[in-house]
Amino acid sequence: ARPVQSLVLDTMHLEAKVEVVESEPSAGQVSELDMEKLRKTLAQQGYLPSKDEGILIDAIVKFFHTNGLGRLSIWPQHLAIREASERILREEAKGRSWLPNPGNLVLVTATGGSGRKGEQTNFRRLLLAGGPFLCRSDSTLVSKILDRFGYLKCDQDLDRASLQFCEVNKKQLQKWSRLPVEGRLGPEQLHQLFASQDQLQQWKAARREPEGVAATVNP
C-alpha cells in the first residue's frame, strides 16, 4: 500500500506549525463504545458542551495541550480521533486524572485565500499559514491570528489589517451573523469573535501559498 500523508501538530507548544508526515496506512476505526467514552471524558472536563455537541477536533487538540499529551495527527480527522481515543482511554485505564479545559485556548485554521476555484486540494489548503495552530486567548490574540494569516504586514496597523480580514471573510462573517451594519469589525470585536469557544475558527488567509511547514517521513 502507498504511504499516506498526515498533518501532525506538536500540541505541547502553542502556535506551532504542523508537520507533514508520511507513514504506512493503518486500518481500523474507533468503535461506537470508545467514541462514546472519548466524548464523555471531553465533556466531563469541559472541552465539549456535552458528549453529543461541540467541535470534536478542537476539543481533542485543547485536551492534548492542557494535559501534556504531545504530538497528535490532526488530519485526516479519523487519525486524530483514533489516536486520542487510544491514548486517553489507555491513560484512564491506568487511573490517570485529567486537567479541565482552561477556557482560554483557540484552534485556528486557514481555509484559503484568493486562489482559483479547485486550485488547491483540502490537504493543501490546510497547509496555508503553517497549518491549523493552537494559541492562547490573550491580549495579543487578534494580532497573532492576523499576522499568521498574512493580513498584518510591517506597513499596516491593526485597524487596517482588521478591515482587510473582514473584506476577505465577509461571506463567512455574514453567515455567522457576526458582521455589523457598517460591514467591518474592529480589533476589539475581532478579539471577542476569535476568543469564542463555540465558534468554528476557520477563516480565509491573505496568503495563498503554504509556507514554513516541516516535512518528515516515518520509517
Side-chain angles (χ1 to χ4, degrees), residues 25-212:
S26 54
Q29 298 288 333
V30 176
S31 69
E32 289 187 14
L33 178 60
D34 284 348
M35 178 66 85
E36 181 83 4
K37 291 179 180 177
L38 174 63
R39 282 186 165 275
K40 182 178 179 181
T41 294
L42 293 172
Q44 286 177 336
Q45 300 303 325
Y47 295 89
L48 290 174
S50 75
K51 65 181 181 65
D52 300 316
E53 298 177 306
I55 308 169
L56 184 57
I57 299 301
D58 287 33
I60 289 172
V61 173
K62 294 172 185 178
F63 186 97
F64 262 57
H65 171 77
T66 303
N67 288 280
L69 295 180
R71 290 163 61 84
L72 173 72
S73 298
I74 60 172
W75 189 90
Q77 289 191 3
H78 72 268
L79 285 181
I81 295 170
R82 192 181 72 227
E83 288 178 14
S85 175
E86 291 175 352
R87 184 76 181 276
I88 292 171
L89 298 184
R90 182 173 66 244
E91 295 289 334
E92 282 186 350
K94 297 177 183 178
R96 178 168 178 175
S97 58
W98 302 112
L99 296 174
N101 183 6
N104 64 347
L105 297 172
V106 182
L107 182 67
V108 191
T109 304
T111 59
S114 57
R116 294 186 298 272
K117 185 176 181 180
E119 181 180 17
Q120 297 164 327
T121 64
N122 288 336
F123 177 79
R124 189 166 175 79
R125 287 192 188 100
L126 282 171
L127 297 181
L128 287 162
F133 69 103
L134 187 68
C135 61
R136 185 169 286 113
S137 177
D138 56 21
S139 60
T140 65
L141 177 63
V142 174
S143 59
K144 282 186 291 193
I145 294 175
L146 296 185
D147 182 52
R148 182 76 169 252
F149 281 16
Y151 293 102
L152 192 61
K153 301 174 183 177
C154 59
D155 60 342
Q156 278 192 325
D157 60 27
L158 201 54
D159 286 322
R160 289 177 61 189
S162 299
L163 177 59
Q164 185 185 5
F165 172 88
C166 291
E167 290 173 347
V168 174
N169 288 277
K170 184 177 180 178
K171 289 184 178 180
Q172 182 74 356
L173 291 167
Q174 289 175 331
K175 177 183 176 181
W176 290 100
S177 300
R178 297 286 191 170
L179 202 61
V181 177
E182 57 268 27
R184 60 157 295 177
L185 298 172
E188 292 184 4
Q189 294 166 303
L190 278 182
H191 178 90
Q192 294 177 357
L193 174 65
F194 292 154
S196 173
Q197 295 294 298
D198 58 359
Q199 169 75 53
L200 183 64
Q201 301 294 344
Q202 294 185 352
W203 307 104
K204 288 184 178 180
R207 292 170 181 158
R208 189 175 67 182
E209 292 302 319
E211 61 171 42

